[in-house]
Amino acid sequence: MKVQGKMFLWLAVFILIMGIVYGVWSKEPAGTTALFMGFGLSIMIGYYLAFTARRVDQLAQDNKEADVADEAGEVGFFSPHSWQPLSLGVGGALAFMGVVFGWWLLYFSAPLIMLGLWGWVFEYYHGENRTQ
């Protein structure tokens, strides 16, 4: 985590310098404000990562002598056969098309999104996988 903390703090310094240069040259308040807000967000994330890195065990990425295999292990469980993202994707696409073509498309997209969310949450509570 030390590496990520340093990266975000260096990013914050870069964004601050660019925000000052952009603000002086352009005199445009919206972009200058956005850059300074990006600076603040980078500082917050960098401080959190650096603060947390002092309190956790050293990770393999912080050890200069570490191999790639030192960080190997189970990443997580990912469903190999889920159809729910398709329903969420189609419903989301229809919802965003509703902004362009008319809000009436939300009547078709909302049930697809709700069906996809319901199916994704309760995917392993029915059928052959209900006991896992």
Side-chain angles (χ1 to χ4, degrees), residues 42-104:
S42 294
I43 284 287
M44 287 189 328
I45 295 170
Y47 174 75
Y48 171 77
L49 290 173
F51 182 80
T52 306
R54 284 184 259 142
R55 285 161 179 72
V56 297
D57 294 334
Q58 186 178 25
L59 300 174
Q61 59 198 356
D62 296 326
N63 184 4
K64 294 191 185 296
E65 302 295 322
D67 292 328
V68 175
D70 291 341
E71 198 65 36
E74 184 176 330
V75 177
F77 175 74
F78 302 98
S79 181
H81 59 273
S82 179
W83 284 89
Q84 309 312 322
L86 179 65
S87 173
L88 288 170
V90 171
L94 278 175
F96 283 112
M97 283 181 12
V99 175
V100 176
F101 296 113
W103 294 104
W104 57 271

Side-chain angles (χ1 to χ4, degrees), residues 13-24 35-36:
V13 170
F14 174 76
I15 292 174
L16 177 65
I17 292 169
M18 291 299 110
I20 292 170
V21 169
Y22 182 82
V24 169
L35 284 169
F36 282 113

Side-chain angles (χ1 to χ4, degrees), residues 100-113:
V100 176
F101 296 113
W103 294 104
W104 57 271
L105 277 173
L106 289 177
Y107 292 118
F108 299 104
S109 65
L112 280 174
I113 291 173

Side-chain angles (χ1 to χ4, degrees), residues 81 117-132:
H81 59 273
L117 282 175
W118 181 270
W120 216 352
V121 169
F122 295 110
E123 187 167 35
Y124 289 99
Y125 288 100
H126 62 81
E128 64 184 40
N129 298 317
R130 70 176 170 266
T131 58
Q132 291 183 354

